[in-house]
Amino acid sequence: MPKPAKGLWDQFVAWDNLVLATKEAARNKRFRREILAYSMDLECNLVRLRMRLESGLWLPGPYRTLEVYEPKRRIVHAPCFADRIVHHALVQVIGRHFERRFMDCSFACRQGMGTHAASRAVSRMLRSASDLWGRAYVLKADISQYFASIDREILLGIVRRVIGDRKVLAVLQRLVMECGCIPGTKGLPLGCLTSQLFANAYLDQLDHHVKECLGVRHYARYMDDFVILRPSKAELWELLAEIRDFLAVRLRLSLNPKTGVFPASHGVDFAGYRHWPWLCLPRKRNIRKAAKRFAGLSHVYAQGRVDLDTVRSVVASFAGYMAHCKGWKSAESALRRLVLVRPPETEEKD
């Protein structure tokens, strides 16, 4: 294994790194009031931030709590803009040291990976399993309340095996342990860039255990969801028992009760799509959600509350999702809910 990375502090507080982190933290949000206010005196604010970091006086500020409902209800804790700069500056420096330890079977929140790469990998796995065994079975599992269940002490132990810079570790420890938005010794705030990196690093331990200790070839993970293929149910139930013990003892995590074993012929729902060896279809609930959104978009467009560019961006996003699978009949049924009637005042201007 590579040695812990040292000599990172100067890279972290370097002016160019902080400026780049500011741009990344403001990406697609630069007109928000908080960001505009910070940017009005950007140079002084960054100098002040760097002085607090170098003096060891920096502490995370209060988080903004939000509720989101896609794909399900979740509580998101968003840091203030100045803290987001710190998160980005850290990831820009330490991210590559974690990345070189990650395995190719992990697809979430990684450059060059993502949902489409995960979907293609599962399709390849299913074709390979079909060629090897004819009939394959699937273990589909995910972690129960993953972000809220991450043990911070165990996480810091994992981080120390990767990062050896004492001053950078002190900042990382404050981010992990002094998270005022989540009481107790467990949990990471969902909504922070560093949380995504740490969550991947936490389950990287599972990846190495499954691939290297259990010798599983057909395995893919997208954050806390993972899939394993084997030629028999009995093998998968044995693997499930091994994995459940590893998660409980080493990482203090538990599996979702919905975890199960089933024939691959039923299809594998993973990374936003349903997979068979030679077929990939959209999730039914995604089609229903798109249809509902198009109907709502038609309504607000008719009222003049959104413009045509907004409609185009929503349709383009849906088309991009559908481009990676079959099922255009389903797509057409959803798109039929989009009926654009121009607002009367717009017609009069024309």
Side-chain angles (χ1 to χ4, degrees):
M1 290 291 289
K3 293 182 179 179
K6 297 183 179 180
L8 302 178
W9 181 258
D10 288 342
Q11 299 174 42
F12 168 49
V13 297
W15 184 256
D16 289 346
N17 189 52
L18 293 177
V19 170
L20 178 59
T22 304
K23 291 179 180 178
E24 291 300 317
R27 186 182 294 275
N28 300 323
K29 304 169 187 171
R30 64 183 184 277
F31 295 117
R32 291 185 180 178
R33 184 179 302 175
E34 177 191 20
I35 297 174
L36 288 172
Y38 196 91
S39 301
M40 287 290 289
D41 198 6
L42 180 61
E43 187 170 334
C44 287
N45 283 328
L46 287 183
V47 168
R48 196 176 297 117
L49 175 62
R50 185 162 68 171
M51 289 175 61
R52 285 168 49 219
L53 288 166
E54 290 182 326
S55 65
L57 298 176
W58 179 85
L59 288 172
Y63 288 77
R64 187 162 50 99
T65 302
L66 308 167
E67 281 188 84
V68 297
Y69 293 89
E70 290 189 13
K72 58 186 177 182
R73 181 183 178 275
R74 294 178 297 173
I75 303 297
V76 174
H77 300 286
C80 65
F81 182 64
D83 286 0
R84 288 208 301 274
I85 294 172
V86 175
H87 286 268
H88 278 271
L90 279 167
V91 171
Q92 285 163 188
V93 171
I94 69 174
R96 62 181 179 272
H97 299 288
F98 285 93
E99 181 65 31
R100 63 180 178 174
R101 295 168 185 247
F102 291 161
M103 305 188 79
D104 292 340
C105 54
S106 169
F107 293 92
C109 305
R110 297 178 63 192
Q111 190 171 6
M113 297 292 198
T115 55
H116 297 144
S119 174
R120 291 192 296 270
V122 168
S123 294
R124 287 194 300 269
M125 282 169 44
L126 286 165
R127 290 194 290 271
S128 173
S130 179
D131 292 340
L132 284 171
W133 310 314
R135 184 176 177 86
Y137 292 88
V138 182
L139 166 60
K140 174 76 164 55
D142 67 276
I143 309 298
S144 178
Q145 299 292 316
Y146 178 48
F147 274 78
S149 301
I150 292 174
D151 187 288
R152 298 176 195 168
E153 287 291 352
I154 294 175
L155 172 62
L156 286 174
I158 293 168
V159 170
R160 290 186 192 102
R161 295 200 292 271
V162 181
I163 305 300
D165 188 297
R166 181 178 54 82
K167 294 174 76 174
V168 171
L169 279 173
V171 176
L172 294 175
Q173 182 162 337
R174 290 191 197 106
L175 280 176
V176 172
M177 300 302 292
E178 299 180 32
C179 175
C181 59
I182 303 176
T185 60
K186 285 190 172 187
L188 292 179
L190 187 62
C192 298
L193 186 64
T194 50
S195 294
Q196 297 174 9
L197 177 64
F198 292 154
N200 249 344
Y202 203 75
L203 278 185
D204 179 59
Q205 315 305 303
L206 174 65
D207 297 343
H208 285 274
H209 181 70
V210 170
K211 299 290 283 187
E212 298 169 356
C213 300
L214 301 182
V216 175
R217 175 183 170 188
H218 296 84
Y219 167 79
R221 178 176 65 83
Y222 191 89
M223 195 50 80
D224 63 315
D225 293 335
F226 61 91
V227 169
I228 295 175
L229 304 182
R230 291 301 297 160
S232 76
K233 286 185 177 181
E235 288 184 61
L236 287 175
W237 286 117
E238 289 178 9
L239 285 171
L240 178 57
E242 292 269 3
I243 289 169
R244 184 178 280 119
D245 288 346
F246 175 84
L247 290 171
V249 174
R250 294 284 298 277
L251 300 178
R252 297 180 188 171
L253 298 173
S254 59
L255 291 174
N256 192 308
K258 294 181 180 179
T259 295
V261 174
F262 54 89
S265 58
H266 291 184
V268 181
D269 190 334
F270 189 71
Y273 299 93
R274 294 177 293 148
H275 305 83
W276 289 265
W278 304 102
L279 180 65
C280 179
L281 295 176
R283 278 179 174 162
K284 292 181 180 178
R285 67 173 177 267
N286 288 354
I287 296 296
R288 288 195 297 267
K289 184 172 68 176
K292 186 176 180 180
R293 186 172 189 186
F294 288 144
L297 200 60
S298 301
H299 180 67
V300 295
Y301 179 81
Q303 294 178 334
R305 289 159 53 191
V306 298
D307 57 17
L308 198 55
D309 286 340
T310 302
V311 175
R312 287 195 186 103
S313 67
V314 173
V315 173
S317 175
F318 179 65
Y321 167 73
M322 292 301 303
H324 296 271
C325 63
K326 294 185 179 180
W328 278 103
K329 287 186 178 179
S330 299
E332 288 173 1
S333 70
L335 286 166
R336 278 197 290 269
R337 303 290 299 276
L338 182 63
V339 180
L340 298 183
V341 179
R342 297 172 67 82
E345 59 271 19
T346 304
E347 291 177 352
E348 290 173 8
K349 289 178 183 178
D350 292 346

